[in-house]
Amino acid sequence: MNSAMFIQHLLNSLTLGSLYALIAIGYTMVYGILRLINFAHSEIFMLGAYFVFWGVTLFSLPWPLAMLLSVVFTAGLGILVDRVAYRPLRDAPRISALISAIGVSFFLQNVAIVFFQAIPRAVYRPAWLENPIILGEVRLLPLTLFVPALSLLLMLGLVYVVYRTKTGLGMRAISKDIETSYLMGVPVNRIIAITFGIGSALAAASGIMWALRYPQLQPIMGGIPGFKAFIAAVFGGIGSIQGAVIGGLVLGFIEIMTVAFFPDLAGYRDAFAFILLIAILLYKPTGLLGARQEDKV
Amino acid sequence: MLKVQDLHVWYGGIHALKGVSLEVPRGRIVTLIGANGAGKSSTLRAIAGLIRNKKGVITYKDRDLTRLDPVGVVKSGIVMSPEGRRIFPHLSVFENLQLGAYSRSDADGIARDVEWVYELFPRLRERREQKGGTLSGGEQQMLAVGRALMSAPEVVMLDEPSLGLAPLLVRDVFEIIKVINERGMTVLLVEQNAFAALKIAHYAYVLETGGVALHGPGKDLLRDERVCRAYLGG
Ligand SMILES: Nc1ncnc2c1ncn2[C@@H]1O[C@H](COP(=O)(O)OP(=O)(O)O)[C@@H](O)[C@H]1O
Ligand SMILES: [Mg+2]
């Protein structure tokens, strides 16, 4: 393998890893606060992608506007899911919310099948993403630069919100102790809603970029990326945002590089994530950066 | 004046409070003592808005608080510092204090009150960048009190602030309670340490199995035979 190819693989890893990381952040933030695995997150990812292509094809919106609107719309949808399906169960045993999450996941998937039909649809990429950039021997798809750059920007924005704003302080507090936060006057339900909004916005961004990278849409498209991102979150230490980012990047790297160096294993691509999951559950169940979570009573 | 009338609380099927009535006049220290499980924490938690499954009337300055959520209660001027301190171990001392001011938006007032808390507890100023979890038990208690004060409350409810502290620190805690009361705050104090609590309290209620068994001025209860036998070990 020459160095030009290696650079290409590296950028591909970074692209895939960023996409996993953006989804994983939503899993980890919600889990960090509610100890809930939001199974509907995969569907949020899928819907974010559909909304853009709806906007572009049905309403002839320009791409950037369609993306922005989709992200905003999907964030609202995430907030709605929390409001309708999780918030009424806040005081119920945790398994109830988990079952509700599975229900929402099925519901959204089937709504998508009704509205968008089950047949996969091809995505037509805008021209500015089609023409490869050629640097000497390296041939780059614009997306392999665009995706990591935009993801980085989004993650920096997230870090700013979490560590530099009052809302972020509230998030960090309720992820440790909801009841005491509430006693101190933190509007817990509003902060949780914002958390769902942010997580869903990032998942939508990931879904949109995913559909550009692998240009096809279908209602079940969230399943595998969503599951892998969940594994990435567990690997990084669920509840930790930094962990989710590292987990996503590591998973992207393993997937791309294994296929690059051992092309015979390409068929087992999806299995790597599961191997990683089993390994982490066996040797370090709290993940790379995860703290021991004492169970909430 | 904070007023609780005929307060009932249920946990699932357990009837934990069975008609508690009490009054906390403005500017006073009122203490709530009683054995473990008597319902002291439940009373405070119900006032603070944490418990939904309750009956009765809670008013403050003639305003009905009974159905408010904890944010509403804090905004109406009543704050509770929970049992076991419950400071945020992963946030810095400064962030813990900021969190206590979450319901406020007057940046200047908040900055002034942070200074005030640092004056009250110079140890907190020294450790302001340190994570809450690295403080000693006594410092954590100071932080818990300071954090509660950051909401600029009129009434401070403290649930067993002396729990688990060394005797010397226990004395400090009661000193602090007197100081914040002298600065004009009303205090509702729950304590296991009945002797020390009765000594500083203007008025006291003794809870037994979810009801008020006895009440009167702190000094009187200190001399009460039943109280002595049951709670003062003599
Ligand atoms: N979360 C809870 N679930 C069930 N029972 C509870 C809960 N909290 C308190 N209780 C019960 O309510 C009663 C009063 O408890 P509490 O108010 O904590 O008493 P105290 O603070 O005086 O020790 C006790 O019998 C206790 O077991
Ligand atoms: Mg108690």
Side-chain angles (χ1 to χ4, degrees):
Chain A
M1 178 171 305
N2 62 32
S3 62
M5 269 173 83
F6 185 76
I7 290 174
Q8 239 157 301
H9 290 312
L10 205 61
L11 283 169
N12 282 336
S13 310
L14 207 56
T15 300
L16 184 61
S18 310
L19 294 176
Y20 287 149
L22 287 177
I23 314 173
I25 288 169
Y27 277 118
T28 225
M29 285 178 79
V30 165
Y31 185 88
I33 291 175
L34 297 176
R35 308 289 181 265
L36 166 73
I37 299 165
N38 180 16
F39 285 105
H41 202 52
S42 305
E43 277 56 56
I44 292 284
F45 164 92
M46 172 269 295
L47 288 170
Y50 265 105
F51 289 153
V52 169
F53 299 96
W54 226 16
V56 170
T57 53
L58 241 55
F59 300 101
S60 339
L61 298 175
W63 274 91
L65 182 64
M67 287 181 181
L68 190 71
L69 284 180
S70 164
V71 167
V72 171
F73 205 70
T74 313
L77 190 69
I79 293 172
L80 187 71
V81 166
D82 169 53
R83 186 69 190 82
V84 172
Y86 305 145
R87 187 158 147 191
L89 297 170
R90 218 75 101 199
D91 297 327
R94 234 182 303 158
I95 188 77
S96 310
L98 210 64
I99 291 167
S100 185
I102 295 171
V104 174
S105 168
F106 279 122
F107 175 77
L108 291 178
Q109 211 173 88
N110 284 287
V111 165
I113 290 174
V114 170
F115 273 92
F116 306 126
Q117 295 165 345
I119 44 159
R121 284 167 193 278
V123 170
Y124 301 98
R125 287 194 279 227
W128 49 277
L129 286 177
E130 281 293 1
N131 308 323
I133 302 166
I134 296 162
L135 293 171
E137 279 189 47
V138 188
R139 215 168 149 272
L140 300 174
L141 272 181
L143 270 174
T144 56
L145 295 177
F146 175 72
V147 171
L150 190 61
S151 304
L152 181 69
L153 223 59
L154 290 172
M155 288 170 199
L156 289 177
L158 177 71
V159 167
Y160 179 82
V161 170
V162 172
Y163 291 98
R164 289 279 176 273
T165 67
K166 186 167 167 177
T167 301
L169 181 62
M171 284 175 179
R172 284 181 289 145
I174 65 176
S175 73
K176 212 54 161 198
D177 188 342
I178 289 191
E179 196 178 271
T180 304
S181 306
Y182 219 174
L183 281 178
M184 295 303 124
V186 178
V188 168
N189 283 322
R190 194 162 81 213
I191 302 277
I192 293 174
I194 295 172
T195 305
F196 271 91
I198 292 177
S200 303
L202 295 179
S206 179
I208 295 164
M209 293 191 280
W210 187 280
L212 289 171
R213 180 81 179 83
Y214 309 99
Q216 201 180 60
L217 289 175
Q218 51 181 324
I220 55 162
M221 66 182 276
I224 294 284
F227 199 77
K228 287 184 184 166
F230 173 68
I231 292 172
V234 172
F235 175 75
I238 193 140
S240 156
I241 293 176
Q242 293 91 323
V245 172
I246 294 172
L249 292 176
V250 167
L251 192 56
F253 191 80
I254 293 179
E255 234 185 274
I256 298 285
M257 290 302 180
T258 318
V259 174
F261 285 94
F262 310 98
D264 291 347
L265 295 179
Y268 297 100
R269 203 179 150 135
D270 289 345
F272 302 145
F274 294 90
I275 294 169
L276 192 66
L277 179 66
I278 292 167
I280 196 79
L281 289 179
L282 282 178
Y283 297 108
K284 198 166 186 311
T286 54
L288 287 181
L289 303 180
R292 276 195 83 81
Q293 304 280 10
E294 67 280 20
D295 253 26
K296 295 217 161 159
V297 259
Chain B
M1 165 142 82
L2 171 66
K3 208 164 163 180
V4 175
Q5 286 162 280
D6 196 29
L7 180 63
H8 292 256
V9 161
W10 290 266
Y11 296 107
I14 304 166
H15 194 178
L17 288 191
K18 303 164 187 150
V20 169
S21 297
L22 53 87
E23 293 182 355
V24 186
R26 192 171 146 207
R28 293 301 159 103
I29 301 176
V30 172
T31 187
L32 214 52
I33 58 174
N36 235 329
K40 306 180 296 294
S41 298
S42 301
T43 306
L44 293 198
R45 291 159 56 83
I47 298 171
L50 274 182
I51 298 177
R52 291 181 161 275
N53 197 359
K54 62 177 186 258
K55 217 187 73 189
V57 183
I58 301 163
T59 55
Y60 177 59
K61 297 203 267 194
D62 296 323
R63 195 170 148 238
D64 190 357
L65 303 186
T66 318
R67 290 287 136 213
L68 289 188
D69 70 354
V71 178
V73 173
V74 170
K75 285 191 168 152
S76 68
I78 301 173
V79 71
M80 168 177 175
S81 181
E83 188 175 330
R85 307 187 258 280
R86 306 270 286 263
I87 58 142
F88 297 99
H90 62 312
L91 301 182
S92 71
V93 167
F94 180 72
E95 285 174 324
N96 267 280
L97 294 178
Q98 289 294 315
L99 200 91
Y102 205 95
S103 59
R104 301 168 65 182
S105 45
D106 55 325
D108 293 348
I110 293 173
R112 249 198 325 276
D113 284 347
V114 171
E115 273 311 303
W116 178 54
V117 169
Y118 284 158
E119 264 164 52
L120 218 49
F121 306 107
R123 291 292 282 278
L124 294 184
R125 189 198 300 276
E126 286 166 31
R127 304 189 186 289
R128 61 178 172 254
E129 296 304 330
Q130 234 168 283
K131 295 261 185 283
T134 66
L135 302 185
S136 71
E139 291 162 348
Q140 290 194 3
Q141 185 57 57
M142 292 175 198
L143 182 55
V145 173
R147 185 182 60 182
L149 296 181
M150 284 304 298
S151 67
E154 294 168 6
V155 181
V156 185
M157 304 194 288
L158 301 170
D159 196 350
E160 306 211 15
S162 75
L163 190 73
L165 296 184
L168 224 61
L169 292 171
V170 170
R171 222 183 49 200
D172 288 350
V173 166
F174 285 97
E175 266 318 301
I176 288 295
I177 293 170
K178 274 201 326 219
V179 169
I180 61 178
N181 177 244
E182 278 156 16
R183 303 275 185 106
M185 287 187 197
T186 307
V187 178
L188 177 54
L189 171 67
V190 160
E191 262 301 331
Q192 287 272 327
N193 191 338
F195 185 70
L198 289 175
K199 259 190 6 198
I200 66 162
H202 300 102
Y203 205 84
Y205 291 83
V206 180
L207 283 193
E208 257 169 34
T209 56
V212 174
L214 204 66
H215 60 96
K219 301 272 182 312
D220 293 3
L221 290 198
L222 264 180
R223 287 191 297 268
D224 188 281
E225 200 183 308
R226 283 172 297 170
V227 174
C228 276
R229 245 199 335 265
Y231 304 109
L232 303 175

